[in-house]
Amino acid sequence: MSNERAEFSKRLATAMTAQGYEPRPGVLSTQFNVRFNGASVSFTTASRWLNGGGIPEYEKLVALADWLKADPCLLLFGDRAGRGKREVRQVKEDALTYDDERVFDIYRRLPQTQQKAVCEVIMAFAASSSKLTSLAKPGAVTKAKRS
């Protein structure tokens, strides 16, 4: 279980409790499906969200946040972006370049409302990028044309 998924599941459970719901998969799937206009969420998916096994797609994350009266970025990322100081983490990927560091430093100094706007733009790009990736898979174009 990745740390991000575990942290997300804790924040989701806390948000559910704060709104008077028991953080259980049955409650989550039922309450979510009543409010979401897209494809319904199974008990298993809700269980993964609550047990650190998965994170919802962007549209479902936004719907969760609306239902639970939470900020989608805070629900997904927590307050780690707004802490003002860096956490010490081991990074297994390539080191950040100077420009990356500079951009992150600027982001951290932004007011929370502006950090939220930047986060929403990034989430929108990620959502559109994932749609483009799914269209690039073999057979996806023919399925898209039939719809």
Side-chain angles (χ1 to χ4, degrees), residues 47-73:
S47 180
R48 285 197 333 257
W49 291 352
L50 284 169
N51 294 318
I55 295 176
E57 296 171 350
Y58 177 72
E59 293 82 12
K60 291 180 180 171
L61 175 70
V62 171
L64 274 174
D66 285 346
W67 163 47
L68 297 171
K69 297 179 178 80
D71 180 276
C73 292

Side-chain angles (χ1 to χ4, degrees), residues 39-92:
S40 54
V41 169
S42 69
F43 178 91
T44 304
T45 298
S47 180
R48 285 197 333 257
W49 291 352
L50 284 169
N51 294 318
I55 295 176
E57 296 171 350
Y58 177 72
E59 293 82 12
K60 291 180 180 171
L61 175 70
V62 171
L64 274 174
D66 285 346
W67 163 47
L68 297 171
K69 297 179 178 80
D71 180 276
C73 292
L74 290 177
L75 191 57
L76 183 59
F77 299 115
D79 66 348
R80 66 181 164 195
R83 290 184 189 152
K85 60 182 178 180
R86 294 185 192 165
E87 294 180 331
V88 177
R89 299 187 300 184
Q90 285 185 328
V91 179
K92 295 182 181 178

Side-chain angles (χ1 to χ4, degrees), residues 91-97 100:
V91 179
K92 295 182 181 178
E93 342 179 309
D94 295 334
L96 296 175
T97 65
D100 294 337

Side-chain angles (χ1 to χ4, degrees), residues 76-137:
L76 183 59
F77 299 115
D79 66 348
R80 66 181 164 195
R83 290 184 189 152
K85 60 182 178 180
R86 294 185 192 165
E87 294 180 331
V88 177
R89 299 187 300 184
Q90 285 185 328
V91 179
K92 295 182 181 178
E93 342 179 309
D94 295 334
L96 296 175
T97 65
Y98 173 75
D99 288 338
D100 294 337
E101 291 280 342
R102 191 165 160 245
V103 168
F104 290 133
D105 288 339
I106 292 168
Y107 172 81
R108 287 183 188 103
R109 288 192 300 261
L110 292 174
Q112 189 171 10
T113 55
Q114 291 178 348
Q115 286 182 356
K116 179 181 175 186
V118 169
C119 183
E120 288 173 358
V121 168
I122 291 169
M123 295 297 288
F125 278 127
S128 67
S129 175
S130 67
K131 288 177 185 173
L132 292 175
T133 303
S134 66
L135 287 176
K137 293 179 183 172

